[in-house]
Amino acid sequence: MQAPFREPIYVTRPLLPSISKVSKRLEEIWASKWLTNNGPQHEQLEAHLKEYLHTDKLVLFNNGTLALILGIKALSLKGEVITTPFTFPATVEALDWNRIKPVFCDINPNDLTIDATKIEGLISERTTAILGVHVFGNPCNVGLIDEIASKYKLKVIYDGAHSFGSKINGVPISTYGDMTMYSFHATKLFNTVEGGALSFKDPALEYQLKLLKNFGIDNEEVYLSGMNAKMNELQSAIGLEVLKEVEAEREKRQRLKKVYEQQFSEIPGVSVVNKDSNSFQYFAIRINEKEFGKSRDWVNEKLKEYNVFTRRYFYPLCSSFDWYADLESARPENLQAANIAVKEVLSLPFYGDLDLDSAWRIGEIFKEINS
Ligand SMILES: *Cc1c(COP(=O)(O)O)cnc(C)c1O
């Protein structure tokens, strides 16, 4: 019998740089009295992230959700956008804020991203874009999505909140689509406490986005109706220090992933969702109730007795929100793979400070709870 962990094991812990390094930067900020509005910390972080993400077009925001809302606005999207129900609510809420009707497309049961083979059947004369999510760092079928988008002259946006620094066959993920959103929330691999960014293709968008996040103001003139979505100097300063530690964190998580994978390869009914993803933001499994003997929800509850706190990402499906009850595309019979996945997927504790032995013990707990 595995004993419960003495301390609670949470699904994630934020990557925190040493306080003394952050203090040094805070002293710079205090000396300059420049707290926000494109100060030196912000400009440095933007430059470093461009390098890290291999893009020369990147704008920072105070969170990922506002980045996505304003990105959609900058692309002048309207009407309908085809998207996935298996995501964090923010993806679809960004469409709502732009008064765009989401059209839900089922997911690919293997990688849980939007099922690109089903997109074409959902296109109408009101469709203006496809909004895919690289779920758990699993890249969308970018090739097919590109083909469909050029055939029907649609824009392509990716919610890349799970794919910071990911590559597809060695190509940076920011290369694909018209725009990619990143979230730098505390729970993400790279964080600025709260924060986000957009990378994009069309160079003209840079000025639009910078206006949009600053009330539409440039040099005391107001050019459009924007809002306030600027990343401040404190967020940027923390981000600069966190960024230095991301690679080491990724390596630690890579070792953890190996331990989990080894353990789950021996457990019938449990499969790893993001086997091939190289983002290392989450470690997600699927529990097949018939084969494993217990349901995902039962496991999620049972693990609490061992002081292990997992998360049902993503539960519920966005298509099941009350306010989409009238949408044809939201009906469960049109989203069969998503409706199965939403009952089976579970995110396990995954962060660099989790020791390998704890990951191994979590595997051992799985081996004993189903008997
Ligand atoms: C975290 C997350 C967001 C929201 O990002 P914030 O920075 O928290 O606003 C959006 N989409 C997905 C898939 C996420 O995981």
Side-chain angles (χ1 to χ4, degrees), residues 63-66 68 87-88 90-91 133 159 161-162 181-185 187-188 194-196 281-282 314:
N63 62 59
T65 305
L66 281 168
L68 190 55
T87 183
F88 189 66
T91 314
V133 182
D159 177 333
H162 300 179
M181 176 274 261
Y182 297 94
S183 164
F184 309 147
H185 183 263
T187 56
K188 308 300 205 251
E194 292 261 13
Q281 183 157 298
Y282 297 96
F314 293 99

Side-chain angles (χ1 to χ4, degrees), residues 328-368:
E328 156 104 16
S329 70
R331 289 202 207 139
E333 63 267 31
N334 295 327
L335 302 167
Q336 290 183 12
N339 276 280
I340 297 170
V342 77
K343 296 193 193 103
E344 296 190 344
V345 177
L346 191 66
S347 279
L348 300 189
F350 197 54
Y351 49 91
D353 283 345
L354 182 65
D355 50 72
L356 299 179
D357 183 56
S358 299
W360 184 82
R361 278 179 60 199
I362 290 170
E364 292 300 298
I365 293 170
F366 271 82
K367 290 177 190 171
E368 71 181 31

Side-chain angles (χ1 to χ4, degrees), residues 115-219:
D115 184 347
T117 64
K118 302 220 165 93
I119 292 175
E120 218 164 344
L122 296 168
I123 295 174
S124 78
E125 68 273 20
R126 291 175 299 281
T127 310
T128 55
I130 300 162
L131 170 53
V133 182
H134 303 305
V135 182
F136 305 130
N138 287 343
C140 293
N141 185 345
V142 292
L144 185 53
I145 291 175
D146 246 8
E147 264 176 48
I148 297 167
S150 15
K151 183 168 165 194
Y152 293 91
K153 302 208 166 25
L154 304 176
K155 299 283 186 202
V156 177
I157 310 180
Y158 290 111
D159 177 333
H162 300 179
S163 57
F164 183 75
S166 288
K167 298 198 168 132
I168 304 177
N169 299 325
V171 179
I173 212 157
S174 59
T175 314
Y176 298 96
D178 294 286
M179 189 174 265
T180 301
M181 176 274 261
Y182 297 94
S183 164
F184 309 147
H185 183 263
T187 56
K188 308 300 205 251
L189 175 66
F190 166 70
N191 84 86
T192 58
V193 185
E194 292 261 13
L198 291 174
S199 65
F200 44 89
K201 264 212 180 86
D202 177 4
L205 287 174
E206 178 163 353
Y207 183 65
Q208 286 297 307
L209 291 168
K210 286 185 170 171
L211 281 179
L212 280 166
K213 70 172 183 176
N214 188 42
F215 320 95
I217 299 174
D218 179 25
N219 202 14

